[in-house]
Amino acid sequence: MKTRAQSAVRDDPRRSEAGNPLQGPRLVARALLHRIHQEIAEDGRFRMIDLLAALGAIGGFSCVIAALDVAEAGQCRDGADLVIVETRDGSRYYAGNLPNAFLLEGHDSLLALTYGAARNQGAVLPQETVLSTFRHVAATIGDQQFGRPRLADDDQPGALPISYVRRLWPIVRQILDMNHVPVRRRPLAIGMAIELAFAIDEQRIDTLLAAQVVTECAVPMAKIDPRKIP
């Protein structure tokens, strides 16, 4: 497995699309949540774990899309910010400061919004649990265990994160496009949808488990090559 690096942002990438702000963020988030709920429900029924897994997976994927948008705009600074990892089979993955900025760093990153929603319900996912997920994902790049949530059997979502991305990203992208959501603000929009999902009374699950499900699905999907997704 070999790595190559590209450089990262001069300024906060989440705020560098001036003149094109996210319009009606809560309305967009509600539209996303409603549509994902529809897509995963069967006969009107759904599992909260599946809803959170789907949102986490597409949210993580939106982070790598946003990171690449910054890099392609030439707004990069040093080699630690976007690292390209190539495996023996020719697959490509991404790591570095840029994806992490959209995924975890900052008050409006995808996981920061997730953990804020958990705190509002009195639960704090231990930092070591979060770091353990990041370490595991990095260690399993190119391995069969990559992208498989480390959850108990009863808590496993109905599909792998990559399956949710392949199935749902075209739908999510269409909603975001129609609402003129800038690429670098899409993790925020999906993060807000996750906040709303935490507030759903139906099928409520343990809050720490909810945060862990989102984390286990988002982190690996923030590393995959968008060329693999239609």
Side-chain angles (χ1 to χ4, degrees):
M1 183 168 63
K2 56 183 179 179
T3 63
R4 293 187 286 125
Q6 296 182 9
S7 20
V9 303
R10 300 189 187 96
D11 301 308
D12 186 339
R14 293 160 294 183
R15 303 192 181 280
S16 57
E17 295 194 12
N20 193 11
L22 178 57
Q23 297 296 325
R26 288 292 173 189
L27 293 177
V28 175
R30 289 186 185 282
L32 288 171
L33 179 61
H34 177 70
R35 185 59 186 274
I36 297 304
H37 179 280
Q38 283 184 321
E39 291 293 328
I40 67 169
E42 297 182 2
D43 297 325
R45 299 180 180 179
F46 78 103
R47 295 173 69 227
M48 180 58 75
I49 283 177
D50 294 341
L51 179 62
L52 292 168
L55 288 167
I58 61 174
F61 184 65
S62 75
C63 293
V64 72
I65 295 286
L68 289 172
D69 184 71
V70 175
E72 289 166 3
Q75 297 174 323
C76 295
R77 185 177 57 202
D78 63 57
D81 284 351
L82 190 63
V83 179
I84 301 171
V85 182
E86 295 178 341
T87 56
R88 292 181 180 178
D89 64 358
S91 297
R92 176 178 289 189
Y93 299 84
Y94 293 93
N97 296 333
L98 269 178
N100 287 345
F102 293 100
L103 181 63
L104 183 61
E105 299 168 5
H107 71 280
D108 59 357
S109 63
L110 184 87
L111 292 180
L113 293 173
T114 299
Y115 302 149
R119 281 195 299 273
N120 287 340
Q121 295 184 10
V124 177
L125 191 67
Q127 183 179 26
E128 179 54 34
T129 300
V130 179
L131 294 177
S132 174
T133 301
F134 274 81
R135 288 193 295 263
H136 174 76
V137 168
T140 55
I141 287 177
D143 186 85
Q144 290 184 347
Q145 293 304 308
F146 177 84
R148 294 183 176 274
R150 296 178 306 158
L151 300 165
D153 290 345
D154 290 344
D155 298 330
Q156 287 290 336
L160 291 174
I162 188 65
S163 297
Y164 285 124
V165 172
R166 286 176 175 150
R167 175 184 168 193
L168 298 173
W169 180 250
I171 297 169
V172 169
R173 181 178 57 203
Q174 182 180 41
I175 294 172
L176 295 169
D177 287 346
M178 289 176 59
N179 286 278
H180 308 290
V181 180
V183 171
R184 301 178 202 178
R185 302 301 277 173
R186 295 184 175 191
L188 167 63
I190 300 170
M192 287 182 168
I194 292 172
E195 285 183 315
L196 293 173
F198 268 71
I200 294 176
D201 290 329
E202 183 184 1
Q203 294 286 329
R204 185 178 292 277
I205 64 172
D206 177 78
T207 305
L208 282 180
L209 172 60
Q212 190 172 2
V213 169
V214 174
T215 304
E216 288 285 328
C217 294
V219 176
M221 295 302 99
K223 295 185 179 297
I224 65 173
D225 188 349
R227 295 176 302 177
K228 292 184 175 181
I229 306 303

